[in-house]
Amino acid sequence: MKTLIVALSLVAPLAAAAAPASAQQDPEERARIEDLTRRLNGAPPAPQRAAPAAPQASPSRSTLAPAASPPAAARQDPAERARIDDLTRRLNGAPASATPASPTPSPAVPPPAPQPQSPRPTTQPQAAPRTPSAPSSAAPVRSPQPAPAPAPQGLSAAERAALPFRIDLPPGFQLVEGRAAPGAHVYSARKAGKTYLMIYAGPSSQFPIYDGEQVTVGGRVSVVTTEGQRRIAMEHLFQRSAEPAEIHVWLMAQDGADRDEAERIAQTVDPK
């Protein structure tokens, strides 16, 4: 208790030095404030002093010792506590505490107006039809094979009658016209897709094609080859004063029965 009284006696002169000039000029007010401060801290009343001590330089507020916490009896009286706090503020030169004003209710903010929503379509979009996918186990797709070329058509009886030569074809044979140079025509005697002999009608042929003996008989030149005791005419050339100037016949089959058949047909060729 003595230590507390000594500490308060040291704080009181410091507080008196920090007070404004109006508080230092009223000794009675000063004494009453100190008496209330002692009562708040639970200390006995201070003895009467003859004269106040000379003012000293006020130390910084950070060096002041913190006051002891008030007893429970002082904290139980709110009115007394408020009056002591107000006197303490006046002693330290702080403005009196203002009565807290009642909070002003903030104006109510109206809720935002609902935004208009776009109307939903009444009809549901139809799903696109799905294309059935090919099964994985399906056979691989093969590229289409080119169609075989159509078989060449033989000349009709009327077309054969217009030719510059005559020819006798056995049953199963046909005479087919092929490509040639301008002013010339090429024909082939065929059977079952096989060519037996060729005939050229134009201004200049490539006679002779085969090697052999050339024999002139009845206005034609023939190339004859010998196989043992047999003589075979491999080609014939006819020359004319009218167009076509030359008619050349040569065998395509080289051996066997096909060559014999081709030679017999070539012997029937005769210019008109």
Side-chain angles (χ1 to χ4, degrees):
M1 179 62 68
K2 291 181 180 181
T3 304
L4 180 60
I5 294 172
V6 171
L8 290 175
S9 62
L10 293 176
V11 172
L14 296 176
S22 58
Q24 292 178 3
Q25 293 176 4
D26 192 352
E28 295 180 359
E29 182 70 17
R30 179 67 182 175
R32 188 162 57 89
I33 291 172
E34 291 178 356
D35 183 65
L36 290 175
T37 302
R38 291 187 182 91
R39 291 173 57 190
L40 177 63
N41 295 327
Q48 297 293 330
R49 288 183 293 180
Q56 298 179 2
S58 61
S60 61
R61 293 185 181 181
S62 60
T63 59
L64 296 179
S69 60
R75 290 199 304 266
Q76 292 177 359
D77 190 357
E80 183 71 15
R81 180 65 181 176
R83 188 166 61 88
I84 293 173
D85 291 342
D86 185 63
L87 291 175
T88 303
R89 291 187 186 92
R90 291 173 60 186
L91 177 64
N92 294 329
S97 61
T99 304
S102 60
T104 303
S106 60
V109 179
Q115 298 293 332
Q117 299 181 357
S118 59
R120 296 182 178 179
T122 55
T123 59
Q124 296 293 334
Q126 298 181 358
R130 295 184 178 179
T131 303
S133 58
S136 58
S137 61
V141 179
R142 296 181 180 179
S143 58
Q145 298 294 333
Q153 299 296 325
L155 298 177
S156 63
E159 292 173 340
R160 287 168 60 182
L163 295 177
F165 57 88
R166 289 182 295 268
I167 184 171
D168 295 335
L169 293 175
F173 280 84
Q174 59 181 357
L175 193 63
V176 179
E177 184 176 2
R179 296 179 180 179
H185 299 274
V186 177
Y187 306 92
S188 59
R190 300 182 182 184
K191 180 182 179 180
K194 183 178 181 180
T195 302
Y196 283 70
L197 60 92
M198 301 288 295
I199 302 173
Y200 167 84
S204 177
S205 66
Q206 296 181 358
F207 181 87
I209 296 177
Y210 297 106
D211 295 334
E213 182 184 358
Q214 296 186 10
V215 178
T216 302
V217 177
R220 72 180 183 186
V221 181
S222 301
V223 176
V224 180
T225 62
T226 302
E227 290 183 357
Q229 299 298 324
R230 181 181 178 185
R231 293 170 61 86
I232 301 172
M234 297 297 297
E235 56 183 318
H236 308 281
L237 177 64
F238 300 91
Q239 293 181 338
R240 305 169 67 240
S241 58
E243 293 183 358
E246 294 184 354
I247 297 176
H248 182 196
V249 182
W250 67 95
L251 306 183
M252 293 294 295
Q254 299 297 318
D255 54 9
D258 293 339
R259 186 186 63 179
D260 296 341
E261 185 74 19
E263 184 185 10
R264 287 192 296 268
I265 297 173
Q267 294 289 348
T268 65
V269 176
D270 191 20
K272 291 181 179 177

